[in-house]
């Protein structure tokens, strides 16, 4: 890690399972010197820190570990090759240490070994090998280590470990339950239960106690505190009753043991965590799908024409890559030869493949269909559109919705309140229930601690956000942050830019009328427009297909009017009516009629003539996208007010507004005026969404409540906007609003169930029903209910994926 400027570093976290845990880590990072800013992303299980100096990273990791949580790092050793002296060891060590993500590195010259600890989210063995090769050394990577230990693999390992723990806890807790429930008076029953429950509590549940102690040292408490207190009290109380039954017998009381409660609570909580991990894995499947879109190797075409297969990491901008039928495109680039159709549905959500010819852009992760072609890499690695999308989705899944801030505050005071309730419960039982007060009080306090787990509360919002953002990404709607996902449902005014948003954004020839449609005239018009630099000339060239060009002489561009050239001694003109008038050219009435009709529809009219008469008239306009009218109708039906703002002239703006059914429009609007109009709508209490695709829209996008950029527009608009519609199809906007409504509804359902569960569960656990019907909740059942509450919240979030 270089020491010069600021760096953002992602630290993969372990054991941070609830919003409360995330807050504890966040507070801890605030105390670390050198950490300029920090954010804990519960969904992505990582802490993002901005540091000035490498040493701050080590301190941040140490702080996180002190708080009882972990940071996923990998320690490995590799043989170093090509070292000849002790100086080489120093040089290779400093090379590895300078890599981003390397925490510690030491090279032992005697046995030529590099021992390194690094963050797998930031670097890997292959990157270290490349860095050393660049300075003349090498790393010997065996196959196993070359398959770098990814975070995915580490999480998989942890999941397996948790699974083993859970299975063992259930196996050992089962006989304890059977004896405790049905054979409590059998000989040595207590001793057998003690034998089976001890490994569950002290070995399989060890982490709860270790983490609770670390929390206590920092004067804080989390879910582990509740589990450790409840199971610890139940276990110690039972051991005391088993070893000293005479204490109770002397007071005419039965010495009960609660080994089954302690063992089963831990088994259920481990099972809940296991199911939660499994479900969480499903919520982040959108990211995994996106990451799987990039192939691992590509075929490079060498300058001498030979082909060579290389790893994706070795591709550099400027390399020429061959893509065969059915293959995935590896990086962003420009087609240099060949043509094909490419399935870009992962980017746009559109199922129809797009034709790719020479000089057309292709994107990483899209799939080639039948033809094969070569393309030149323009963006590689983190610069590709796919990498940007993955980063955007990850950031959005890690961001917090406004409702989450309220949940954070509740989670922060939740555990201390629960401990307070448990103590109060114990005291009340002692006071109110004379003979059995101590036993009932302990039991009720333990049950309160078990049932009141804040996990369901902490998972309610993040899981729904993750599924919502992931679902959006699959449909070609990129959502940058949770706030815009939550706000979109409230939008009641949408401002639409015209060019590139409602319309295609490029002029097309819509109509053409010839006086005498002879082939030579078409050839001359095409040849003339091909030499012209006017933007509208391109539209004509695109329109006249399957026609040969012919050589023209004396080409001349006439500024503001058109162009002129000579063919076989005759002058030909292409341009506006002024050009024809000044050259004394006659216009036939039927051509003039067409021109007048098209002008009335706000189309741009272009004339083609020889030196005597007009030969053809063409109409050019920016076509309305096929889906725009349908989308606008759908938004109006949702009760949303629509406004179109455009820099174009009044006549064109009016024509487009009439064709699309937009009632409010403004023409000849400057970029700053767009921003002012957003502010004006804000004053009227509107929740405003701005939809645009150009640099001129970026100011308005920045101040709108929800900003939506068109994916085919400028990079700046996409950077500023909180949502991006990759296909630039307006129909995705009603879809995004519906997704917002579904996500917010899911969050509310989750929070409702999490709160209701605690509101009902805690009083029952404290024994409120005991005076009425003698019912006291068993701590074991409380443990099962607690596990179920977390699983039900995550399952409810996953239901979002099935909604239309």
């Amino acid at each position: 890690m270089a020491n010069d400027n600021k760096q953002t570093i992602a630290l993969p976290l372990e054991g941070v399972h609830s919003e409360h845990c995330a807050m504890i880590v966040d507070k801890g990072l605030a105390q670390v010197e050198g950490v300029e800013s920090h954010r804990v992303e519960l969904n992505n299980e990582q802490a993002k820190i901005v540091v000035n100096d490498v040493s701050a990273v080590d301190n941040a990791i140490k702080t996180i570990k002190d708080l009882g949580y972990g940071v996923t790092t990998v320690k490995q050793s590799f043989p170093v090759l090509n070292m000849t002296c002790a100086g080489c060891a120093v040089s290779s060590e400093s090379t590895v240490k300078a890599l981003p993500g390397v925490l510690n590195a030491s090279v032992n010259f005697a046995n030529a070994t590099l021992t390194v600890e690094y963050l797998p989210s930031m670097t890997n063995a292959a990157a270290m090998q490349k860095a050393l090769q660049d300075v003349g050394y090498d790393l010997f990577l065996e196959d196993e280590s070359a398959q770098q230990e990814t975070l995915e693999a580490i999480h998989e390992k942890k999941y397996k470990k948790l699974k083993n723990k859970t299975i063992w806890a259930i196996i050992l807790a089962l006989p304890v339950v059977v004896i405790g429930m049905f054979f409590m008076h059998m000989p040595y029953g207590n001793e057998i239960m003690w034998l089976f429950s001890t490994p569950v509590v002290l070995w399989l549940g060890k982490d709860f106690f270790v983490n609770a102690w670390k929390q206590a040292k920092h004067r804080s408490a989390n879910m582990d505190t509740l589990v450790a207190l409840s199971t610890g009290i139940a276990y110690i109380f039972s051991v005391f009753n088993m070893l000293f039954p005479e204490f109770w017998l002397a007071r005419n009381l039965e010495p009960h043991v609660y080994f089954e409660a302690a063992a089963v609570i831990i088994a259920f909580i481990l099972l809940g965590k296991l199911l939660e991990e499994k479900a969480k894995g499903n919520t982040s499947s959108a990211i995994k799908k996106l990451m799987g879109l990039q192939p691992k190797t590509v075929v490079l075409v060498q300058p001498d024409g030979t082909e060579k297969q290389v790893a994706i990491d070795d591709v550099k901008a400027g390399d020429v890559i061959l893509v065969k039928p059915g293959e995935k495109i590896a990086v962003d680039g420009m087609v240099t030869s060949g043509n094909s159709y490419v399935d870009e549905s992962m980017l746009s959500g559109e199922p129809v493949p797009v034709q790719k010819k020479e000089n057309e852009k292709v994107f990483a992760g899209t799939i080639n269909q039948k033809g094969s072609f070569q393309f030149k890499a323009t963006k590689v690695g983190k610069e590709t559109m796919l990498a940007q999308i993955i980063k955007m989705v990850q950031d959005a899944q890690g961001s917090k919705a406004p409702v989450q801030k309220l949940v954070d505050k509740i989670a922060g005071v939740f555990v201390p309140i629960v401990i307070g309730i448990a103590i109060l419960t114990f005291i009340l039982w002692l006071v109110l229930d004379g003979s059995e007060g101590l036993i009932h009080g302990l039991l009720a306090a333990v049950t309160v601690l078990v049932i009141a787990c804040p996990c369901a509360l902490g998972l309610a919002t993040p899981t729904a956000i993750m599924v919502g953002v992931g679902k959006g990404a699959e449909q070609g709607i990129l959502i940058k942050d949770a706030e815009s996902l939550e706000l979109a449902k409230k939008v009641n005014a949408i401002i639409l830019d015209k060019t590139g948003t409602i319309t295609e954004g490029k002029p097309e020839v819509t109509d053409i009328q010839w006086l005498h449609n002879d082939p030579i005239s078409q050839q001359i018009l095409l040849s003339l427009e091909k030499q012209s630099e006017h933007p509208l000339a391109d539209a004509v060239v695109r329109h006249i297909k399957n026609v040969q060009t012919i050589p023209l002489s004396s080409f001349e561009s006439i500024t503001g009017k058109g162009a002129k050239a000579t063919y076989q001694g005759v002058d030909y003109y292409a341009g506006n009516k002024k050009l024809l008038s000044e050259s004394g050219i006659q216009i036939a009435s039927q051509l003039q009629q067409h021109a007048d009709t098209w002008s009335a529809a706000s189309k741009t009219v272009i004339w083609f003539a020889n030196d005597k008469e007009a030969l053809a008239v063409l109409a050019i306009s920016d076509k309305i996208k096929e889906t725009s009218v349908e989308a606008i109708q759908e938004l109006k039906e949702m009760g949303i007010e629509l406004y179109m703002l455009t820099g174009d002239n009044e006549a064109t703006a009016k024509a487009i507004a009439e064709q699309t059914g937009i009632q409010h429009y403004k023409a000849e609007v400057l970029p700053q005026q767009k921003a002012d109009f957003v502010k004006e709508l804000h004053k009227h209490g509107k929740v405003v969404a701005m939809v645009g695709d150009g640099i001129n829209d970026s100011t308005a996008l920045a101040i709108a409540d929800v900003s939506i950029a068109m994916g085919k527009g400028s990079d700046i608009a996409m950077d500023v906007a909180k949502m991006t519609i990759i296909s630039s199809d307006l129909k995705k906007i009603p879809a995004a609003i519906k997704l917002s409504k579904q996500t917010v509804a899911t969050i509310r359902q989750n929070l409702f169930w999490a709160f209701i569960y605690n509101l009902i569960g805690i009083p029952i656990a404290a024994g409120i029903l005991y005076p009425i019907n003698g019912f006291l909740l068993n701590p074991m059942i409380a443990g099962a209910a607690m596990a179920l509450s977390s699983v039900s919240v995550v399952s409810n979030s996953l239901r979002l994926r099935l909604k239309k």
Side-chain angles (χ1 to χ4, degrees):
M1 290 180 204
N3 286 359
D4 44 1
N5 42 20
K6 291 180 191 174
Q7 294 184 51
T8 303
I9 287 150
L11 303 175
L13 298 173
E14 296 171 11
V16 177
H17 295 303
S18 71
E19 208 45 68
H20 186 222
C21 300
M23 282 173 66
I24 292 167
V25 173
D26 215 30
K27 279 182 190 163
L29 289 172
Q31 312 298 319
V32 180
E33 213 174 308
V35 173
E36 298 235 334
S37 67
H38 48 88
R39 181 173 87 167
V40 177
E41 298 180 354
L42 177 63
N43 293 337
N44 298 333
E45 293 188 349
Q46 63 178 14
K48 276 195 175 165
I49 59 171
V50 176
V51 294
N52 269 333
D53 184 27
V54 60
S55 60
V57 179
D58 291 342
N59 294 339
I61 291 172
K62 189 174 177 301
T63 302
I64 293 168
K65 287 183 175 172
D66 277 353
L67 287 165
Y69 303 103
V71 175
T72 308
T73 60
V74 176
K75 272 188 178 174
Q76 280 179 301
S77 294
F78 307 101
V80 185
L81 312 175
N82 307 339
M83 289 197 300
T84 53
C85 64
C88 296
V90 174
S91 159
S92 52
E93 184 177 302
S94 58
T95 302
V96 174
K97 269 187 180 168
L99 286 174
V102 172
L103 303 173
N104 288 308
S106 64
V107 175
N108 183 325
F109 178 62
N111 60 9
T113 303
L114 161 73
T115 305
V116 63
E117 184 181 4
Y118 61 93
L119 293 167
S121 55
M122 291 180 71
T123 190
N124 56 47
M128 294 175 218
Q129 182 184 40
K130 194 170 183 308
L132 286 174
Q133 284 170 344
D134 289 347
V135 290
Y137 309 111
D138 203 350
L139 269 193
F140 178 69
L141 299 183
E142 292 175 31
D143 287 348
E144 297 89 86
S145 57
Q147 294 161 354
Q148 43 142 338
E149 249 197 297
T150 58
L151 276 177
E152 200 72 14
I154 292 166
H155 279 303
E156 191 56 40
K157 219 193 257 178
K158 279 201 199 111
Y159 177 74
K160 280 184 182 158
K161 193 177 168 189
L162 183 59
K163 195 173 171 181
N164 287 337
K165 268 187 174 182
T166 308
I167 291 167
W168 273 110
I170 292 168
I171 291 169
L172 292 169
L174 216 57
V176 185
V177 174
V178 173
I179 296 169
M181 290 283 185
F182 309 109
F183 305 104
M184 58 194 87
H185 298 300
M186 68 181 262
Y188 301 109
N190 288 357
E191 285 79 359
I192 294 168
M193 287 196 286
W194 177 56
L195 189 71
F196 278 105
S197 61
T198 301
V200 178
V201 176
L202 302 182
W203 169 48
L204 300 168
K206 181 184 73 178
D207 290 349
F208 296 117
F209 295 97
V210 171
N211 292 340
W213 172 243
K214 286 180 177 175
Q215 290 294 315
K217 282 198 297 189
H218 288 269
R219 291 185 189 168
S220 88
N222 65 4
M223 179 211 150
D224 292 334
T225 314
L226 296 183
V227 177
L229 277 174
S230 55
T231 54
I233 291 167
Y235 180 78
I236 291 165
F237 184 58
S238 302
V239 172
F240 176 83
N241 290 1
M242 179 185 73
L243 298 176
F244 307 107
E246 59 278 0
F247 177 83
W248 300 105
L249 294 169
R251 290 165 175 76
N252 291 325
L253 290 172
E254 186 75 26
H256 289 292
V257 294
Y258 298 98
F259 288 121
E260 79 278 10
V264 172
I265 288 166
I266 284 176
F268 270 134
I269 286 169
L270 287 173
L271 179 65
K273 277 193 166 189
L274 185 75
L275 294 172
E276 197 183 291
E277 279 300 315
K278 181 108 180 118
K280 269 191 185 165
N282 290 339
T283 59
S284 60
S285 63
I287 292 273
K288 288 178 196 154
K289 278 184 195 164
L290 288 170
M291 286 177 163
L293 288 170
Q294 199 172 30
K296 301 285 177 276
T297 59
V298 297
V299 176
L300 277 194
V301 180
Q302 315 271 71
D304 59 4
T306 56
E307 294 172 8
K308 178 188 177 189
Q309 194 166 33
V310 299
I312 180 81
D313 296 339
D314 296 336
V315 176
K316 293 186 281 292
D319 285 347
V320 176
I321 295 166
L322 172 68
V323 185
K324 293 173 185 162
E327 287 185 345
K328 286 177 182 166
I329 292 164
V331 294
D332 293 4
M334 189 81 82
V335 178
T336 53
S337 69
N339 62 65
S340 179
Y341 282 86
V342 173
D343 176 358
E344 292 192 342
S345 58
M346 56 72 58
L347 285 180
S348 62
E350 301 304 319
V352 183
V354 182
Q355 190 179 13
K356 298 291 176 184
K357 304 190 291 289
E358 216 169 301
N359 292 332
E360 293 206 342
K361 288 180 181 176
V362 288
F363 301 99
T366 56
I367 302 163
N368 183 26
Q369 301 289 289
K370 294 192 171 73
S372 62
F373 60 89
Q374 294 182 8
F375 74 96
K376 189 180 191 175
T378 52
K379 289 181 177 175
V380 298
K382 287 181 181 169
E383 291 175 358
T384 67
M385 184 132 162
L386 179 65
Q388 300 288 346
I389 290 172
I390 291 171
K391 187 179 182 306
M392 235 182 190
V393 175
Q394 273 176 328
D395 288 349
Q397 289 188 336
S399 65
K400 289 184 185 181
V403 69
Q404 182 66 33
K405 286 161 191 156
L406 168 73
V407 179
D408 289 359
K409 283 179 186 163
I410 296 166
V413 295
F414 190 84
V415 177
I417 286 173
V418 169
I419 292 171
I421 292 171
I423 293 167
L424 184 66
T425 302
F426 178 66
I427 293 166
L428 284 173
W429 274 101
L430 264 185
V431 173
L432 300 174
D433 183 13
S435 60
E436 299 268 323
L438 181 63
I439 290 178
H440 284 165
L442 266 175
L443 205 59
V446 165
T447 312
V448 167
L449 291 170
V450 171
I451 206 162
C453 165
C455 279
L457 206 56
L459 289 167
T461 311
T463 51
I465 293 287
M466 279 186 90
V467 177
V469 169
K471 192 177 173 187
E474 283 170 17
Q475 292 180 3
I477 304 164
L478 274 190
I479 300 161
K480 264 195 200 170
D481 66 3
E483 191 165 357
S484 56
L485 181 61
E486 193 181 324
L487 257 182
K489 74 178 276 289
K490 296 179 184 171
V491 166
N492 51 20
I494 295 180
I495 299 170
L496 299 162
D497 170 51
K498 177 184 78 76
T499 311
T501 301
I502 296 172
T503 65
E504 294 285 0
K506 60 178 182 201
E508 296 284 348
V509 172
T510 56
D511 311 271
I512 185 164
Q513 184 64 42
W514 292 90
L515 190 62
H516 329 283
N517 193 358
D518 59 301
I520 194 76
S521 296
Q522 287 196 29
Q523 287 179 295
I524 295 166
L525 174 59
L526 177 67
S527 309
L528 181 56
E529 293 288 39
K530 260 207 164 155
Q531 291 186 54
S532 170
E533 289 172 359
H534 196 282
L536 295 180
D538 284 344
V540 179
V541 172
R542 280 197 302 272
H543 186 74
I544 303 174
K545 294 183 186 123
N546 308 322
V547 172
Q548 295 288 317
T549 53
I550 49 178
L552 304 177
S553 57
S554 317
F555 177 82
E556 185 189 342
S557 184
I558 305 160
T559 308
K561 292 170 193 166
K564 171 187 171 189
T566 307
Y567 177 70
Q568 293 183 349
V570 179
D571 287 342
Y572 288 89
Y573 301 85
N576 56 21
K577 196 174 179 184
K578 204 172 179 187
L579 177 66
L580 272 64
S581 312
E582 286 176 5
S583 310
I585 293 164
Q586 285 186 328
I587 295 172
S589 62
Q590 72 256 43
L591 291 185
Q592 187 61 58
Q593 274 175 350
H594 281 289
D596 293 344
T597 308
W598 297 336
S599 293
S602 296
K603 294 181 179 181
T604 304
V605 173
I606 288 182
W607 295 88
F608 172 59
N610 59 20
D611 50 10
K612 294 187 183 66
E613 62 179 352
L615 301 173
V617 62
L618 300 90
I620 292 179
S621 80
D622 186 3
K623 273 195 346 205
I624 293 171
K625 290 177 190 167
E626 286 175 19
T627 54
S628 290
V629 179
E630 207 179 319
I632 286 162
Q633 188 54 39
E634 203 176 330
L635 289 166
K636 281 163 77 176
E637 282 167 11
M638 291 167 89
I640 295 168
E641 280 181 25
L642 294 172
Y643 302 85
M644 181 181 79
L645 303 186
T646 175
D648 217 330
N649 62 55
E650 174 69 27
T652 306
K654 187 178 181 207
I656 297 286
E658 281 171 0
Q659 287 171 49
T660 54
I662 293 175
Q663 285 154 329
H664 316 283
Y665 69 89
K666 282 191 173 189
E668 295 172 20
V669 180
L670 297 170
Q672 189 50 49
Q673 290 171 315
K674 287 186 181 182
D676 293 341
F677 190 68
V678 175
K679 289 177 188 165
E680 202 179 303
L681 288 177
H682 277 155
K683 280 179 195 162
H684 292 104
K686 299 283 185 194
V687 179
V688 184
M690 169 74 199
V691 187
D693 77 321
I695 294 168
N696 61 333
D697 302 315
S698 53
T699 323
L701 285 167
I703 61 168
D705 299 296
V706 177
S707 44
I708 304 170
M710 292 288 154
K712 290 179 182 167
S714 76
D715 290 350
I716 292 176
M718 283 187 271
D719 281 347
V720 172
K722 296 292 174 69
M723 288 189 190
T724 300
I725 307 292
I726 298 175
S727 63
S728 295
D729 177 357
L730 277 185
K731 279 189 78 180
K732 299 285 182 191
I733 294 172
I737 293 170
K738 281 175 191 161
L739 179 66
S740 165
K741 285 179 177 169
Q742 289 169 351
T743 307
V744 173
T746 304
I747 291 172
R748 288 193 175 144
Q749 289 158 10
N750 286 351
L751 288 173
F752 172 78
W753 288 116
F755 278 117
I756 285 291
Y757 162 80
N758 279 312
L759 282 174
I760 296 170
I762 291 175
I764 291 174
I768 201 163
L769 297 175
Y770 188 76
I772 303 161
N773 59 9
F775 178 76
L776 247 188
L777 186 65
N778 189 313
M780 285 192 295
I781 296 173
M786 191 226 78
L788 205 65
S789 71
S790 295
V791 175
S792 63
V793 160
V794 177
S795 307
N796 189 43
S797 295
L798 288 171
R799 268 184 46 232
L800 243 184
R801 289 165 72 177
L802 308 173
K803 291 189 179 171
K804 288 275 186 293

